[in-house]
């Protein structure tokens, strides 16, 4: 079975609330995905596959290196647009972004909203303001440091 199909099936099972019934099977599949070179090869083919793989592995406690628009792709003015879109936290902000950032923003928007929904359901607290502040401040600050020539950070971590 193709990796994306497996990831989507795991995601569907969890969304249906049946993850606990398939816990061992899910762990076995995620163990295989996390240890295989196939995962990085196939995940590079689409942002959807990358984001889903990243989210599922992180949710199940796997350490995952991570797909960072701030460190790899963006020019400083584009990163400022991206940060403004995240600060507004409005899906319509995607219209103002360069094409390659639109998918990144939508993946971030959907992932953070899903985490915030889970947190709200479990704890009764809205975590979106905290999550968006953490994403914006840490990434733009590090990007400015990198662009100003004070590259004191070898990798930038997108906190989601």
């Amino acid at each position: 079975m193709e990796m994306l199909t497996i990831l989507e099936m795991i995601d569907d099972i969890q969304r249906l609330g049946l993850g606990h019934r398939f816990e061992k099977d899910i762990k076995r599949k995620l163990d295989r995905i996390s240890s295989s070179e196939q995962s990085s090869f196939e995940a590079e083919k689409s942002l959807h596959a990358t984001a889903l793989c990243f989210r599922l592995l992180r949710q199940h406690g796997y350490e995952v290196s991570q797909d960072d628009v701030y460190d790899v792709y963006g020019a400083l003015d584009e990163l400022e647009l991206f940060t403004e879109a995240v600060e507004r936290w409005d899906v319509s902000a995607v219209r103002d972004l360069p094409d390659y950032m639109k998918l990144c923003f939508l993946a971030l928007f959907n992932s953070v909203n899903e985490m915030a929904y889970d947190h709200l359901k479990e704890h009764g607290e809205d975590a979106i303001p905290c999550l968006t502040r953490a994403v914006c401040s840490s990434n733009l600050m590090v990007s400015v440091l990198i662009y100003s020539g004070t590259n004191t950070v070898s990798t930038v971590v997108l906190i989601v």
Side-chain angles (χ1 to χ4, degrees), residues 5 12 16 20 35 37 43-44 50 56 66 73-75 79 83 86 94 96-97 100 114-116 123 129 140 154 158:
T5 305
D12 290 343
L16 290 169
H20 63 283
S35 66
E37 292 179 22
E44 289 176 8
T50 302
L56 289 173
Q66 53 196 348
Y73 299 108
L79 298 176
T83 301
V86 173
V94 76
D96 301 331
L97 298 173
Y100 74 95
E114 185 175 334
M115 288 188 306
H123 304 286
L140 185 60
S154 59
L158 183 58

Side-chain angles (χ1 to χ4, degrees), residues 103-137:
L103 288 174
C104 295
F105 177 78
L106 290 174
L108 176 66
F109 186 85
N110 291 335
S111 295
V112 169
N113 281 341
E114 185 175 334
M115 288 188 306
Y117 171 77
D118 291 341
H119 186 78
L120 180 64
K121 208 166 58 173
E122 292 176 23
H123 304 286
E125 298 173 349
D126 180 11
I128 287 179
C130 179
L131 292 170
T132 57
R133 262 194 317 275
V135 170
C136 291
S137 62

Side-chain angles (χ1 to χ4, degrees), residues 69-84:
V69 69
Y70 279 86
D71 194 27
V72 179
Y73 299 108
L76 189 55
D77 60 332
E78 294 172 332
L79 298 176
E80 289 170 344
L81 279 175
F82 188 84
T83 301
E84 289 170 12

